[in-house]
Amino acid sequence: MKKLLGLISIVLIFTLVISACGSKKDSAGDNITVKIGILKNVTHAPGFVALQNGYFQDAFGKNAKIEVTAFDNGSDFSTAMATNQIDLGFVGPGPAINQYLKSKNFRVISGSNNGGAVLIARKDAGISSVKDLVGKTVAIPTKGSTNEISLRLLLQQEGLKVSTDTSGVQIITRAPADTLVAIRQKEVDATLIPEPWGTQMVQEGIGQVLVDWDKIPPNDGNYPLTILLASDDFLKDHRDLAKKAIQANLDGIKFIKENPDKAYDLVSAELKELTGKGMDVKLIKAALDHLNLTDEVSLDVIKTMAKVSFDAGYIKGIKEDELDLSKFIDSSLLDEVKAYK
């Protein structure tokens, strides 16, 4: 009899344990805080729309808390991702590649946007071609940024070198808003900058497009400019929520494509929440017209970017043949999301 009671007790305990585990899985989004990072760029429009339309909240569940952190540049974002200050978010591949090769504790789980940066020359700087940039100063948002990678590739194509004197092209860093002011005040000669800043300079009559977005390398504008990342810890503990984040990104892309006019106001509203100031709808429209919204991420293009960063000295501590990005992109979650639909 004692043996029978003991057996029953074991079965009951086992059942309770299994039940508890099942409950935890079923309520993965309940009472959890998900920390999302995003840059204050219109090129992150799918993320903006997903936040404004509540796609993340709906996906994670009404009891989930979402904390959004806005970043001025991809370097700060990537550091935050590597140190688990954020769980997932949108960023450019340049800084993410550099940080990944150091920490290797996060992954690309989806694309969001390809292209959307332009090379602008100050109107009175005497620049009519890329070769005219010799001896000039060109601004990029931050060191190691995707925009700098594109600029270096562009200069390589024209046989130009980067230098700190007038023998080549001088690259300096300025936040996009500061670059606009610098162009107005004739402090810089040109800039490779994400939209809609380029369009704004053209509309103000202070700049002209030297290389349009669909001719910017690599791959003539069809390169990842905004990707969705998630930390390894988040993927390990909340793979289901990571897939729901991918779905929110896909829903954002779909909404913009199907409802562009409605998307303009949503993007402006999210910018206002992130920066305290919205943006003229005409500028947002110009920016979205220059984006290729897609969930695809090309590993070959990513490898090209990594090589440029390595040659520029941003990737240290490893040899060129150790630029292993084979696990940088994890497409399995995106594949599962698409297969489920």
Side-chain angles (χ1 to χ4, degrees), residues 34-76:
V34 182
K35 296 170 286 185
I36 300 176
I38 198 163
L39 270 63
K40 307 169 187 176
N41 295 343
V42 177
T43 49
H44 292 232
F48 287 5
V49 170
L51 288 167
Q52 283 290 311
N53 277 349
Y55 295 152
F56 284 108
Q57 191 68 67
D58 292 343
F60 296 158
K62 64 180 181 179
N63 293 325
K65 181 181 179 181
I66 297 175
E67 293 182 356
V68 179
T69 301
F71 293 88
D72 291 317
N73 59 72
S75 297
D76 291 343

Side-chain angles (χ1 to χ4, degrees), residues 130-138 148 150-172 308 311-312:
V130 175
K131 290 188 180 297
D132 293 332
L133 292 176
V134 174
K136 306 293 186 180
T137 56
V138 184
E148 181 179 358
S150 291
L151 177 59
R152 286 179 176 271
L153 281 169
L154 192 61
L155 297 179
Q156 287 177 17
Q157 290 176 6
E158 297 294 328
L160 306 182
K161 67 176 183 177
V162 176
S163 69
T164 56
D165 55 34
T166 57
S167 66
V169 181
Q170 300 177 63
I171 298 177
I172 63 172
V308 175
D311 291 342

Side-chain angles (χ1 to χ4, degrees), residues 55-330:
Y55 295 152
F56 284 108
Q57 191 68 67
D58 292 343
F60 296 158
K62 64 180 181 179
N63 293 325
K65 181 181 179 181
I66 297 175
E67 293 182 356
V68 179
T69 301
F71 293 88
D72 291 317
N73 59 72
S75 297
D76 291 343
F77 173 102
S78 300
T79 299
M81 176 65 71
T83 54
N84 289 317
Q85 296 175 52
I86 53 177
D87 300 309
L88 56 89
F90 300 84
V91 72
I97 292 169
N98 299 346
Q99 180 61 57
Y100 170 79
L101 289 169
K102 299 175 186 175
S103 60
K104 293 190 176 180
N105 62 350
F106 57 84
R107 300 286 183 275
V108 180
I109 58 174
S110 177
S112 189
N113 168 58
N114 281 10
V118 292
L119 179 61
I120 297 291
R122 200 180 76 240
K123 263 204 168 179
D124 55 357
I127 301 171
S128 58
S129 70
V130 175
K131 290 188 180 297
D132 293 332
L133 292 176
V134 174
K136 306 293 186 180
T137 56
V138 184
I140 44 97
T142 188
K143 289 184 177 180
S145 64
T146 307
N147 297 123
E148 181 179 358
I149 290 173
S150 291
L151 177 59
R152 286 179 176 271
L153 281 169
L154 192 61
L155 297 179
Q156 287 177 17
Q157 290 176 6
E158 297 294 328
L160 306 182
K161 67 176 183 177
V162 176
S163 69
T164 56
D165 55 34
T166 57
S167 66
V169 181
Q170 300 177 63
I171 298 177
I172 63 172
T173 58
R174 292 283 190 283
D178 295 334
T179 298
L180 176 63
V181 174
I183 290 287
R184 287 173 182 160
Q185 297 179 350
K186 303 181 180 181
E187 295 174 355
V188 298
D189 302 306
T191 177
L192 203 153
I193 197 167
E195 286 284 37
W197 299 99
T199 295
Q200 185 169 351
M201 293 173 190
V202 171
Q203 290 183 357
E204 286 190 17
I206 58 175
Q208 59 187 5
V209 176
L210 197 62
V211 180
D212 213 344
W213 74 279
D214 57 356
K215 293 295 183 291
I216 296 291
N219 209 28
D220 287 336
N222 192 26
Y223 60 91
L225 189 67
T226 308
I227 51 180
L228 178 60
L229 305 182
S231 72
D232 284 358
D233 284 348
F234 190 76
L235 291 174
K236 177 184 176 182
D237 297 335
H238 304 289
R239 182 181 175 88
D240 55 335
L241 293 186
K243 289 195 292 185
K244 290 177 179 179
I246 290 174
Q247 185 61 61
N249 173 52
L250 296 179
D251 289 343
I253 291 173
K254 181 179 179 182
F255 183 91
I256 295 171
K257 289 182 176 180
E258 295 181 352
N259 309 276
D261 292 340
K262 294 179 181 179
Y264 306 147
D265 290 331
L266 293 175
V267 170
S268 181
E270 185 62 25
L271 274 174
K272 188 172 183 179
E273 289 190 22
L274 298 178
T275 69
K277 184 178 180 181
M279 183 173 287
D280 186 270
V281 168
K282 291 181 179 178
L283 285 175
I284 295 174
K285 180 182 185 305
L288 294 187
D289 286 346
H290 291 172
L291 307 184
N292 175 19
L293 303 180
T294 177
D295 58 66
E296 297 178 1
V297 184
S298 169
L299 180 58
D300 287 340
V301 174
I302 292 292
K303 289 179 177 179
T304 297
M305 292 179 164
K307 178 63 166 59
V308 175
S309 288
F310 180 84
D311 291 342
Y314 292 125
I315 299 174
K316 303 181 185 297
I318 62 175
K319 299 177 181 178
E320 184 175 342
D321 58 4
E322 296 173 336
L323 291 173
D324 182 10
L325 292 165
S326 59
K327 296 181 180 179
F328 180 53
I329 301 173
D330 182 354

